Amino acid sequence: MAVSLSRVVGPLAGLGCLVLSALSIPKAEADDREASVGPTNVAVIGAGIGGASSAYYLRKLFGSDVSIDMYEPHSVGGRLATAKIGDKEFESGGSIIHPKNHYMVKFAEELGLKHRKSLPSQFALYNGQEFVFTESSSSVLTLVKLLWRYGWDCVRLNKLIGQTLTHFENIYTLQDGGNAYSSVEELLYAMGGTRFVNMTQKSVTEGLEEEGFSARFINELAMAAMRENYGQTVDIPFFVGAVSLAGAQEGLWAVEGGNKRVPEELVKTAKVNLIPGEVSKVMLDKSGDHPKFLLQYQVKDPNDNQILTEQKGYDIVIVATPLNEGISNITFADFPSPLPEVKGKFHRTVANFVQGKLNAEYFGILDPKSAPTGIMTVNADILFNSIGKQNPVTIPKDYSPVGPESEDAVWKVFSQRPLTDSEIGQLFTVVKKTQVVDWLAYPCYTCPRHLGTFVLHDGLYYVNNIEWAASAMEMSAIGGRNVALLSYNWWHGLDGKVDPGRTTKTEL
């Protein structure tokens, strides 16, 4: 739901959204590439934003001679997807981009993608019985209401995010210099030292309490942000909670035509060979002079739709799809020792799309026209996580959004499970069309949290462990570039570029 909390917390800096601003390859990397022969074949398994970013940077690093195969049995974009209601499409996955999402901003600029027209919205916090806070059309009045209810906590949050960003920005220079990190812990340490690592080992509640925030702020504003963005509570780790809170800033935007266009265009720019097959096994082949990886995959025969099992060898393999229980069927064979275990389960996230008229009376609103366009909840027992009125991903210049009282309005209701017809009937007085997107969209965060590795084996790398620090488009882009750099540094023997400068660490 693209509801901004910007007027709640003021001009916050965007932690989870802030990433590397320069997409060019450092001169040292380019010189090294010219001095030695690169790999022949590279495979990327998965075509979401992590896989697309990996392919983009692999092409930048290894040049035009390497062949990059990308395996994706579904649509390019992964969890950046849309749902169609009538003749219009709406964001069903990642829906907003921060103005300091430097990867996404640069990708959009380089790929010629336009920003979608921004339209006004109004949000409110609902506790199951009443609204505890409602945004005003006046920014001054909203500020007064915030100070009255939350005191100086909003100012305190601004300071907290600003301090965190100062450390976070270290990763830009390090990655520009060709440095890569073998694990999520090492990458976080490079960003913000032990402070960032420790933020993954305490809850949002614990972290905010240590910073002096009130129980009301934590249980209302912070809880609403966690339920809105991750479908979870303030019990999740402080680092991912900070990522969620840092999105409460003005200037949020989206790509005209859908955010999925970013990975779609990255894949084209990387000149990958897109294979509509599903990888089932990765095997290590040591029979030749140089170890290779054999990928076994299933693909439909275009002539008779029969499922064929095929196999192909690669010098480097990037896994850019979750390997977690309940999601992946990929197995690994013929390795000299067991590969690192991928721990954790993904959280079920359900987007119930409804075209219809919101039941204003259900929320105690007498005039349907005055209903907020975004309703965020502060209680884990409430039927839904959030409700937001949606605008299509393609907005013509003459587009005029319908009001919340209209039967033609399209709403996205996030919940822990698909809502029944009866439950939808409680929330809407008129229901014209519905569609359910039910998927495992985010990690199920626990605290404390084990932080995994990017390196499954020399030449075999895994992007998605970065989601266990925080799941966001920018974080996946960071992970994508990191595994591309790991691949490059391993291939050329640049060991000093991996985990540079750290002498001690904490095993998590």
Side-chain angles (χ1 to χ4, degrees):
M1 181 171 73
V3 176
S4 171
L5 287 176
S6 58
R7 287 177 287 276
V8 175
V9 297
L12 303 182
L15 159 68
C17 316
L18 223 148
V19 187
L20 190 63
S21 60
L23 298 179
S24 59
I25 304 174
K27 184 177 186 297
E29 291 182 18
D31 292 343
D32 287 339
R33 185 180 65 230
E34 293 168 2
S36 59
V37 177
T40 303
N41 297 308
V42 175
V44 178
I45 304 172
I49 186 62
S53 300
S54 299
Y56 173 87
Y57 285 111
L58 286 166
R59 178 64 69 199
K60 289 278 189 178
L61 288 161
F62 287 116
S64 59
D65 291 338
V66 65
S67 175
I68 303 176
D69 288 345
M70 177 170 280
Y71 291 86
E72 177 53 69
H74 308 295
S75 300
V76 172
R79 283 168 276 166
L80 297 186
T82 57
K84 194 168 186 178
I85 307 295
D87 60 350
K88 295 181 175 64
E89 292 185 38
F90 300 85
E91 297 281 8
S92 60
S95 59
I96 55 174
I97 301 169
H98 195 278
K100 292 187 178 179
N101 276 17
H102 291 301
Y103 271 129
M104 298 298 290
V105 169
K106 286 292 184 179
F107 287 159
E109 289 177 354
E110 181 174 325
L111 301 171
L113 302 177
K114 297 180 180 179
H115 288 208
R116 194 182 312 162
K117 181 181 178 181
S118 179
L119 298 167
S121 62
Q122 179 192 27
F123 85 94
L125 303 181
Y126 181 67
N127 68 3
Q129 296 180 333
E130 62 181 355
F131 291 109
V132 298
F133 182 87
T134 303
E135 183 183 18
S136 173
S137 58
S138 165
S139 59
V140 174
L141 181 56
T142 296
L143 178 59
V144 172
K145 293 167 68 175
L146 284 167
L147 291 173
W148 178 261
R149 186 162 186 84
Y150 302 108
W152 295 105
D153 279 347
C154 295
V155 177
R156 192 173 287 114
L157 181 61
N158 187 29
K159 180 180 178 182
L160 170 65
I161 297 301
Q163 291 173 341
T164 304
L165 278 168
T166 299
H167 298 291
F168 190 91
E169 290 179 297
N170 292 331
I171 196 63
Y172 313 155
T173 302
L174 292 167
Q175 285 193 318
D176 268 346
N179 297 301
Y181 302 91
S182 62
S183 69
V184 178
E185 181 189 349
E186 292 290 347
L187 189 142
L188 290 179
Y189 186 87
M191 289 179 178
T194 55
R195 179 174 182 270
F196 271 24
V197 175
N198 291 339
M199 285 176 72
T200 69
Q201 304 304 303
K202 66 181 71 173
S203 69
V204 172
T205 297
E206 292 169 334
L208 291 178
E209 284 178 345
E210 290 177 5
E211 297 289 340
F213 287 83
S214 67
R216 174 176 283 180
F217 180 93
I218 295 169
N219 294 328
E220 291 182 2
L221 279 174
M223 175 71 87
M226 302 312 121
R227 285 176 59 76
E228 159 76 9
N229 293 322
Y230 293 106
Q232 297 168 67
T233 71
V234 286
D235 291 331
I236 68 175
F238 190 25
F239 187 84
V240 67
V243 169
S244 184
L245 288 169
Q249 193 175 24
E250 290 187 342
L252 302 178
W253 62 283
V255 174
E256 178 73 7
N259 293 331
K260 66 182 181 180
R261 293 196 61 202
V262 175
E264 288 174 348
E265 295 303 319
L266 284 175
V267 166
K268 294 177 183 177
T269 300
K271 294 182 171 60
V272 307
N273 307 311
L274 190 60
I275 299 174
E278 184 168 6
V279 175
S280 58
K281 184 182 289 188
V282 179
M283 298 163 281
L284 181 64
D285 179 12
K286 302 181 71 172
S287 60
D289 295 335
H290 192 285
K292 294 182 74 74
F293 301 95
L294 296 179
L295 264 60
Q296 185 178 98
Y297 63 98
Q298 285 68 48
V299 64
K300 283 185 179 180
D301 187 321
N303 297 318
D304 56 15
N305 280 334
Q306 293 293 314
I307 302 298
L308 304 177
T309 297
E310 299 185 1
Q311 190 169 286
K312 190 171 181 180
Y314 296 94
D315 297 311
I316 295 171
V317 172
I318 306 295
V319 181
T321 186
L323 293 174
N324 302 80
E325 179 183 346
I327 297 181
S328 174
N329 295 316
I330 299 176
T331 60
F332 298 86
D334 302 329
F335 288 86
S337 59
L339 299 186
E341 181 183 1
V342 176
K343 300 180 180 181
K345 296 183 179 181
F346 267 54
H347 181 80
R348 187 184 190 187
T349 301
V350 180
N352 306 267
F353 285 88
V354 179
Q355 184 179 41
K357 183 177 181 180
L358 187 71
N359 184 0
E361 290 186 7
Y362 179 89
F363 298 99
I365 301 171
L366 298 179
D367 181 8
K369 293 181 179 180
S370 66
T373 55
I375 300 171
M376 304 167 72
T377 60
V378 302
N379 188 329
D381 296 328
I382 297 174
L383 178 65
F384 59 93
N385 298 340
S386 61
I387 300 177
K389 191 170 74 69
Q390 304 296 294
N391 293 302
V393 298
T394 300
I395 299 180
K397 291 183 178 180
D398 59 351
Y399 176 78
S400 179
V402 297
E405 77 283 359
S406 172
E407 296 180 3
D408 293 321
V410 174
W411 302 81
K412 181 164 60 176
V413 184
F414 277 126
S415 59
Q416 305 291 335
R417 57 170 175 78
L419 300 180
T420 65
D421 291 342
S422 175
E423 290 167 336
I424 290 177
Q426 294 178 47
L427 300 175
F428 297 89
T429 57
V430 176
V431 177
K432 298 176 73 173
K433 294 177 182 177
T434 63
Q435 184 173 334
V436 175
V437 179
D438 186 354
W439 52 8
L440 299 173
Y442 305 110
C444 185
Y445 290 107
T446 57
C447 192
R449 160 88 247 144
H450 170 78
L451 298 175
T453 181
F454 292 110
V455 183
L456 300 180
H457 188 275
D458 286 343
L460 176 62
Y461 304 100
Y462 180 46
V463 178
N464 293 73
N465 261 335
I466 198 168
E467 293 193 72
W468 294 92
S471 183
M473 284 181 271
E474 287 306 293
M475 293 297 284
S476 291
I478 292 174
R481 189 176 193 188
N482 185 61
V483 297
L485 287 165
L486 283 170
S487 303
Y488 183 87
N489 293 338
W490 169 71
W491 186 265
H492 292 295
L494 302 175
D495 296 342
K497 290 289 189 179
V498 178
D499 300 334
R502 188 171 181 189
T503 57
T504 61
K505 67 177 181 178
T506 303
E507 292 296 338
L508 298 178

